[in-house]
Amino acid sequence: MMEFTHFNAEGYARMVDVSEKTDTVRIATAQAVVRMQPATLEAIKSGGIKKGDVLGVAQVAGVMAAKHTASLIPMCHPLMLSSVDIEFEISEPDSSITIQCQVKTTGKTGVEMEAISGAGIAAMTIYDMSKAIDRWMEISDIKLLEKSGGKSGHVKRVL
């Protein structure tokens, strides 16, 4: 049975000690999906949202979220990120935008939470900027897709 690593011997929460781990290149990719009305998707694509460039702002928000993950999630280690890349895939048949966030660092701990935070906050930003015309957008499928580096090596979600 696997043990939770974020508890000390007394059962209290702790930040895991990574001082003995080896520095390796760590990469993680996560996604989030925003589903909306077709007219909302068209307004985003055409620049018809009054608050501005939705995907441009969402991209910056996702990068900022990845950089600030340790401030949001109590047991995450503050990391020096070497790269954060946010990409958007627009699907007209599904009336959705899929966000992928890839984060890289060289260090003692992985960047899965940073990638998940980046994708999730980018999705929330799309919602925030577009909610005046579509309050019923849906954010879903926030998940880790792939990670590499560290003791567990390379793992990829089977879709």
Side-chain angles (χ1 to χ4, degrees), residues 32-146:
V33 177
V34 185
R35 290 178 180 79
M36 62 200 70
Q37 295 297 317
T40 308
L41 184 61
E42 186 54 41
I44 290 170
K45 286 175 30 187
S46 68
I49 301 292
K50 290 183 182 178
K51 288 187 176 183
D53 176 7
V54 173
L55 298 184
V57 174
Q59 186 169 32
V60 172
V63 170
M64 289 176 65
K67 290 169 55 175
H68 290 281
T69 299
S71 298
L72 301 169
I73 301 175
M75 301 306 160
C76 281
H77 293 82
L79 301 176
M80 179 64 73
L81 304 181
S82 54
S83 171
V84 179
D85 187 24
I86 308 279
E87 294 185 358
F88 302 99
E89 181 182 323
I90 294 173
S91 172
E92 292 190 25
D94 295 330
S95 193
S96 68
I97 301 172
T98 299
I99 301 111
Q100 282 200 0
C101 177
Q102 184 182 75
V103 180
K104 296 180 186 179
T105 193
T106 299
K108 298 177 183 298
T109 188
V111 288
E112 295 96 318
M113 296 311 301
E114 288 74 11
I116 293 168
S117 295
I121 293 297
M124 291 169 63
T125 301
I126 291 169
Y127 180 94
D128 178 57
M129 293 190 69
S130 308
K131 69 183 182 286
I133 61 171
D134 188 354
R135 291 216 180 265
W136 307 118
M137 287 176 284
E138 179 181 298
I139 298 171
S140 64
D141 300 313
I142 300 173
K143 59 189 171 190
L144 180 70
L145 298 176
E146 187 172 5

Side-chain angles (χ1 to χ4, degrees), residues 6-52:
H6 285 79
F7 297 101
N8 65 16
E10 291 80 33
Y12 295 109
R14 69 176 178 122
M15 181 183 277
V16 174
D17 181 359
V18 296
S19 59
E20 300 299 317
K21 287 185 168 186
T22 305
D23 282 345
T24 62
V25 174
R26 314 282 185 136
I27 304 171
T29 304
Q31 79 164 26
V33 177
V34 185
R35 290 178 180 79
M36 62 200 70
Q37 295 297 317
T40 308
L41 184 61
E42 186 54 41
I44 290 170
K45 286 175 30 187
S46 68
I49 301 292
K50 290 183 182 178
K51 288 187 176 183

